[in-house]
Structures are given as structure tokens and as C-alpha cells.
Amino acid sequence: MVGPARFATLHTCFDLGVVDALRKEPGLTAAELGPAVGVKPEALEQLLRLPVKEGFLAQDPDTGGYALGTLAEVPDKDLQRVLTFMGMVKTGMLRQLYWLADSVRSGSVVGLKELYGFDGTMFAAAAHVPEVRDAWGPLAQNETASVYPWFFRSFDVPAGARVLDVLGGPGLGSIMTAQLKASPGLRVTTFDQPFFEAECRRNFAAQGVEEQCDFVAGDALRSLPGGYDVLLLKHFVDMYDREDVLTILRNCRQALVPGGTIVVLAPVYPEDITDPADYQADFFPAYILGCVMGRGGLQPVSTYSSWLEECGFEVTGVTAKDPADIPPDAIINRVVITARRRD
Ligand SMILES: C[S@@+](CC[C@H](N)C(=O)[O-])C[C@H]1O[C@@H](n2cnc3c(N)ncnc32)[C@H](O)[C@@H]1O
């Protein structure tokens, strides 16, 4: 019950500039800090009860002055990462979730319609609505920076292979494949909707990989181009319901040469959903149904594996991130599943 109230209070302390002000000048009382951040001292005292209770801030019992508590120990890059996530939660989740029941009923993101008049997914909204793009873009960049290096270490691409990045958006997956898996004759294709083509080709040229990379437009639910050795499916199998995932996986099988490899990067539920240390069920149902897609959702590895088997693949590996490389604030738990096309 107290989650949203705690979130709003703590985020507001950052929003108002209280944390920055105390970092610059520790020991300020509410009477001094209030005018510095443009807030009535009495209201500020109320807001600061929670961060003092939690130890994020410390209050001197004699002077009443405030200083950073445990927040002083958080490295700036960790704090910025957490604040980026909190910014997305504030802008991209809290208000949309008012319509969660309507979104679940209708299978569409009703919050995006109500707030922005936008009929579509959050990914499409990010291309058209600046507020959505500004909230989600930096988060996506942070996530990509932390995930892609690990992802690309998790599988091999044979020399001279043909690689298809399925639903590859503006081309980053193809660019990184060309750069990190370089070999003579390697060719990488981004497959996505036609409106990504111009941006994608611009990105290839800017990174100097336009010779190795190409773009093909289409609808993955209908068919994919064929003749590939490796297919990358990054961050989207959780965006579809079962039947659509199976359709895409069958299309993927057709797109691969016999013995070819499919590499799936996805967040997953733990096999034991009651695991108290895992937060996927706390976050993703509301996020995906109410804020991003209005449909779809995560599955455990065992379900993705059985779907792959059902669609003509043999699962060859499942890689999880080393726990030592996962920051304590991380919610999302991803795996890489590799599978071979059975002939
Ligand atoms: C979640 S993003 C994919 C993320 C991307 N693979 C990555 O690693 O960052 C969804 C992408 O899927 C594309 N998309 C959604 N449905 C599609 C379909 N039926 N056919 C082709 N592309 C589709 C969207 O245009 C968007 O670029």
C-alpha cells in the first residue's frame, strides 16, 4: 500500500533539489533549506520525515539541520542510473497505471490514449510524443549500455555468417554485431517496420558499417527474409502473447538455414514465482500491460524453451548474468537462450 507514497516522497526530494542543496551545503535547517528550494519550511519538514526515517538523510537532534545520510555513500553514476529509472516510473508508469484495468480489458495501452491521445504501443509513442521519448530514451540507453556487452559475449557468430536482427529498430544490434563479431564476409541485416529504414541506414553510415549492414522492412508476424545463419531476437518476445510468439518463432525457423542458430535475449520470471528475491512479477505485469503493450508478458525460461522446441528448435544454452555484475537496484533479470534449428 505504501509503495506509491514512498516513491512520490523520495522522488520529490530529488525533484525539488533538496538532495543537491544538502550535498553543497550540509547542515541547513528547514528554515534555511525551504527558501533555497522554493518550498515552505513546514512542508519541507513533512517531506523529509521519510528520508530521515530511512537514513537517506540525517538530522542533527540539536540544531535540526539536515545532511546527507546513506545517500552520501552512493556513487554518482549509481545515483544517476536509479534516478533515470525513477524518472521513467514517474512519467511513464504512475499515471498510465490509473487505467490498468481498462488496458487489460481492451488489450491496448489506455493511459497513452488518455494522456497523449496516442493509439499504439509505448515504443511507437516514443517515436512521436516527446515526453514519452524523454522518459524512456535515457532508460533504454542505460539498459543497452549495461546489457549489450554481456549479450554479445554470450554467443558465437561463425566467420562470414549472415545474421538477421529481428525487430532490430534503428539498427544498434546490427552495428554492434558488425563491430564485435567482425569477420571477413560477415553480413548483418536489421528487420523492422518500414519507418525505421531511413534512420537505420543513417546509423549504419555514421558508424561506418554500411558495407556490412542492410535493412529489410516487413511484418515478423507474416514472414521473415530467408537464408540466415544466426537470428537475434532481442527484447521483444515478452511483448507478445503466446500465439504471436509461436508465429514469430516458426517464421524464424523458416528464415534460418538448417543447423542455424537463434539467440533470444529476454527478461524472465524465475521458475519459482514465489522467490522473494526476484522482482519481475512486482514490475512487469503492470509495466507491459498498462504502460507498454496492453498485451504479452514475461515467461520463465522453461516456457520459452518449450515454445522453441515446439517450433522446431533444440535449446543449446541458457546464460544468465554473473550476479556480481548486477547492481543492487536492478529490477530486470534477463537471460540469453540459444537454440539450433532442427532439420
Ligand atoms: C521492443 S522493440 C525491439 C527492441 C530491439 N530488438 C532492441 O534490442 O532494442 C520493438 C521493435 O519491434 C518493431 N516491431 C513491432 N512489431 C513488429 C512486427 N510485427 N514486424 C516488424 N517489426 C515490428 C518495432 O518497430 C520496434 O522497433
Side-chain angles (χ1 to χ4, degrees):
M1 296 295 185
V2 295
R6 285 170 60 86
F7 178 91
T9 303
L10 293 174
H11 191 264
T12 298
C13 292
F14 287 98
D15 239 5
L16 289 172
V18 170
V19 177
D20 285 341
L22 290 176
R23 201 184 294 282
K24 274 198 210 111
E25 201 173 339
L28 294 177
T29 62
E32 294 159 335
L33 192 52
V37 299
V39 174
K40 256 193 349 189
E42 290 83 354
L44 194 61
E45 266 175 354
Q46 291 296 321
L47 269 182
L48 299 190
R49 297 283 183 198
L50 176 65
V52 168
K53 172 192 172 216
E54 294 292 343
F56 293 132
L57 301 182
Q59 187 173 22
D60 187 309
D62 300 324
T63 64
Y66 297 95
L68 298 190
T70 51
L71 273 180
E73 297 155 23
V74 181
D76 192 52
K77 82 173 178 10
D78 291 343
L79 192 58
Q80 290 316 315
R81 184 182 61 243
V82 172
L83 288 175
T84 299
F85 206 105
M86 290 177 86
M88 185 285 288
V89 171
K90 180 183 174 188
T91 309
M93 293 187 73
L94 289 184
R95 292 168 301 159
Q96 272 94 322
L97 289 179
Y98 177 79
W99 293 281
L100 178 58
D102 306 271
S103 296
V104 174
R105 260 189 225 110
S106 66
S108 63
V109 188
V110 174
L112 290 174
K113 267 183 230 153
E114 294 287 340
L115 291 167
Y116 307 111
F118 190 85
D119 195 1
T121 69
M122 190 269 285
F123 300 113
H128 298 98
V129 182
E131 192 180 49
V132 177
R133 185 170 50 246
D134 291 348
W136 187 68
L139 177 71
Q141 274 171 13
N142 279 1
E143 293 291 314
T144 300
S146 86
V147 169
Y148 269 31
W150 161 73
F151 170 70
F152 281 98
R153 282 197 304 275
S154 306
F155 62 94
D156 295 321
V157 172
R162 293 190 61 197
V163 180
L164 183 67
D165 187 15
V166 186
L167 274 59
L172 181 61
S174 289
I175 292 167
M176 292 196 71
T177 306
Q179 291 171 340
L180 299 176
K181 303 289 189 185
S183 67
L186 177 77
R187 292 280 176 276
V188 197
T189 303
T190 296
F191 179 89
D192 208 289
Q193 302 181 75
F195 67 85
F196 269 114
E197 175 157 7
E199 182 185 350
C200 194
R201 290 193 187 280
R202 270 199 307 277
N203 291 340
F204 292 159
Q207 293 296 320
V209 294
E210 67 273 36
E211 295 291 309
Q212 299 99 297
C213 294
D214 198 2
F215 182 96
V216 173
D219 178 354
L221 287 164
R222 294 175 72 87
S223 66
L224 293 169
Y228 291 92
D229 303 291
V230 179
L231 256 55
L232 308 182
L233 280 70
K234 300 182 277 73
H235 289 149
F236 73 80
V237 287
D238 48 304
M239 304 292 159
Y240 290 98
D241 290 326
R242 177 178 185 278
E243 277 314 309
D244 285 343
V245 178
L246 294 184
T247 300
I248 293 174
L249 291 180
R250 289 192 187 104
N251 291 341
C252 286
R253 187 175 185 281
Q254 294 295 322
L256 278 173
V257 298
T261 301
I262 186 170
V263 185
V264 180
L265 169 65
V268 289
Y269 287 132
E271 296 298 327
D272 175 6
I273 199 69
T274 65
D275 179 353
D278 190 284
Y279 291 99
Q280 314 315 294
D282 303 64
F283 179 74
F284 276 107
Y287 178 63
I288 291 183
L289 294 173
C291 308
V292 181
M293 300 296 293
R295 60 156 193 256
L298 277 57
Q299 304 294 335
V301 169
S302 56
T303 301
Y304 285 132
S305 297
S306 73
W307 290 357
L308 282 160
E309 300 279 343
E310 191 178 334
C311 294
F313 293 95
E314 178 197 357
V315 174
T316 51
V318 177
T319 311
K321 241 183 169 181
D322 181 345
D325 292 338
I326 303 176
D329 53 283
I331 293 174
I332 307 171
N333 179 28
R334 302 176 180 82
V335 297
V336 177
I337 306 173
T338 49
R340 186 180 309 115
R341 176 184 148 157
R342 271 195 261 109
D343 299 329

